[in-house]
Amino acid sequence: MITPVVAQQLKDAGLVWEPAERDLFVMPEHNLDGQIFVVSALPALVQNFGGQQTITFHGSIEWALDYVVLSEAVWLPTESQLRERLAAAIGPDAPLRLERLAAGYRLQLALGAELAEFEDASAEGCYALGLLAVLAG
C-alpha cells in the first residue's frame, strides 16, 4: 500500500478518484491519523464478545462522521489501480515494465520520447512514482 503522503501527492497532481466498493482512503483533515477507511456497502467489524472473536455487521456506525465531502478524502489506490491508471495515461503502445530487484522494484515507462525509470521498495511505490511523473507532465 502506498503511504498517505504519496496518495496526497497524487491527488494534488490531479489524480481523480471515482469511489468504488473496496477502495481505501484516509481523512487527513479530520484528526484520524493512521485510520484507513474502506468503501463498503455493509461494514463488518471483528470484535471480542465473551472471550470469543465475532464478526458483527452494522448498517450504520454511530461513532462515525455523519458525512464528509469527497474532496476531503485521500484515495489510497492499490497496485492494480495505479497500474491501470498509469497504462491509460501513457497509452496502449507505450512501454511499461516492472521488474523485481534484490531490494525492491524498478519501473520503466515512456515519458514522451524518453524512457524513465523509478525505483521503490514496493511495486505500488514504483507505479505511484511513475504516475506522479506522468501527471506532472
Side-chain angles (χ1 to χ4, degrees), residues 23-102:
D23 278 355
L24 305 174
F25 66 97
V26 293
M27 299 297 303
E29 298 176 19
H30 290 274
N31 295 324
L32 297 168
D33 295 339
Q35 296 295 316
I36 297 174
F37 297 91
V38 180
V39 175
S40 176
L42 184 62
L45 302 171
V46 176
Q47 296 179 319
N48 210 348
F49 287 117
Q52 289 188 313
Q53 280 194 322
T54 60
I55 298 174
T56 59
F57 300 93
H58 299 269
S60 65
I61 301 175
E62 291 73 23
W63 55 264
L65 299 167
D66 288 337
Y67 68 90
V68 293
V69 179
L70 182 60
S71 63
E72 295 176 350
V74 177
W75 179 32
L76 298 170
T78 63
E79 178 183 344
S80 62
Q81 290 170 323
L82 289 163
R83 184 178 57 248
E84 289 168 10
R85 292 291 182 103
L86 184 55
I90 64 174
D93 297 330
L96 177 61
R97 179 178 177 205
L98 182 71
E99 64 181 308
R100 192 171 69 160
L101 306 172

